[in-house]
Amino acid sequence: MEVLLLSENVPPLEGNLKVLLRHSHFTFLVDGISRACSHQLVRHRPASYSQQSQRYVAMKNFPYVIPESVRKKKVEIEGKTYSYNDVMMFIGKFYEALVEEEVPKEDARFVLPNACTTRIVFTMNGEELIHFLRLRTCTRAQWEIRKVAIKMLKILREKHPSLFKSVGPNCYYLGYCTEGKKSCGRQKEMKAYFSSLCKEMI
Ligand SMILES: Cc1cc2nc3c(=O)[nH]c(=O)nc-3n(C[C@H](O)[C@H](O)[C@H](O)COP(=O)(O)OP(=O)(O)OC[C@H]3O[C@@H](n4cnc5c(N)ncnc54)[C@H](O)[C@@H]3O)c2cc1C
């Protein structure tokens, strides 16, 4: 996964931080994330997105994300044992055979999995970016989008320490957890992690 800050515009407005954030814009490129992850990203509405097309781009030997939890798993189906990679390879061959049979790519892509990687460019203003980061750096967020959010936050902290030093999950940003019964209960650990953000993701 690659996360790049392509461009930013932070106007020289003094005073009200909310106003400054509203008029700031940040454009990120995220490459090599799964479609499962990009689907979660685009649920954030006050933003603009441009995503690699599966209608026009041929997915030959399609790249895919492997979650750690399935990496070493083997599953038996009707007496035969399959790995995750076996299934991906089969899907890839089936997709390519459909395209060779002149099935339009926009239809052949129906067999492609959520794991298939994608590239997406998006622009958010500062207010929305902070909303996104508060939700998606939390341990309640799914691991892949959380990884994206933490990488984004690391870049933003380096470029604009004063704007982003207090940003992280709600337990860090607000000082208390908003997740109720679903809280991870690790507020202390999270606060320590998001104060420095130098270690590997926890
Ligand atoms: C841990 C987690 C689990 C999730 N699980 C699920 C799930 O199981 N199923 C599911 O469907 N989704 C799920 N989601 C996605 C979630 O439902 C939202 O779609 C996502 O968080 C983006 O919406 P948002 O309101 O947070 O903020 P954004 O869309 O980023 O918008 C930011 C804010 O702008 C304002 N806003 C934006 N658009 C409008 C509008 N049209 N009208 C009024 N105000 C607006 C609101 O104040 C909003 O909070 C999950 C999200 C998280 C973080």
Side-chain angles (χ1 to χ4, degrees), residues 13-199:
L13 291 171
E14 304 247 320
N16 193 322
L17 182 63
K18 217 172 159 55
V19 173
L20 171 66
L21 288 169
R22 186 161 300 165
H23 295 288
S24 303
H25 286 88
F26 301 85
T27 301
F28 281 92
L29 165 77
V30 179
D31 196 10
I33 53 167
S34 70
R35 284 247 164 191
C37 183
S38 70
H39 189 76
Q40 296 172 78
L41 173 61
V42 301
R43 291 294 299 278
H44 291 278
R45 297 159 289 174
S48 301
Y49 302 94
S50 301
Q51 185 166 17
Q52 180 186 49
S53 168
Q54 281 189 338
R55 289 185 68 198
Y56 301 112
V57 178
M59 288 287 140
K60 202 164 164 53
N61 295 323
F62 74 87
Y64 55 87
V65 172
I66 310 176
E68 275 313 309
S69 59
V70 295
R71 188 176 285 281
K72 289 183 184 152
K73 284 266 189 285
K74 300 257 183 194
V75 174
E76 201 180 302
I77 301 169
E78 295 171 358
K80 282 191 181 166
T81 306
Y82 301 93
S83 69
Y84 184 81
N85 286 333
D86 294 333
V87 177
M88 294 297 147
M89 218 171 317
F90 178 79
I91 293 173
K93 282 184 185 161
F94 191 71
Y95 169 85
E96 283 168 32
L98 289 178
V99 174
E100 251 171 52
E101 292 283 322
E102 293 181 3
V103 170
K105 289 194 271 300
E106 69 174 13
D107 292 342
R109 69 174 169 161
F110 276 62
V111 302
L112 295 174
N114 269 334
C116 197
T117 62
T118 188
R119 166 196 283 252
I120 188 163
V121 172
F122 58 95
T123 303
M124 288 176 176
N125 73 13
E127 245 186 332
E128 173 59 10
L129 188 56
I130 289 177
H131 174 80
F132 168 83
L133 293 169
R134 285 170 61 186
L135 287 181
R136 303 297 184 169
T137 56
C138 173
T139 55
R140 286 260 292 127
Q142 181 260 349
W143 65 266
E144 195 181 10
I145 196 159
R146 185 164 181 258
K147 204 166 164 181
V148 171
I150 290 178
K151 278 179 182 258
M152 286 166 63
L153 182 57
K154 281 184 177 172
I155 295 171
L156 293 163
R157 286 257 186 109
E158 242 175 58
K159 286 237 160 186
H160 299 284
S162 59
L163 280 182
F164 291 96
K165 68 174 188 290
S166 62
V167 178
N170 280 330
C171 60
Y172 177 78
Y173 184 78
L174 300 173
Y176 58 88
C177 177
T178 50
E179 296 301 320
K181 283 185 183 160
K182 291 183 173 159
S183 170
C184 68
R186 295 161 67 196
Q187 284 99 310
K188 245 188 173 171
E189 203 184 336
M190 290 301 134
K191 277 183 194 169
Y193 175 67
F194 283 95
S195 302
S196 63
L197 256 192
C198 55
K199 291 173 277 170

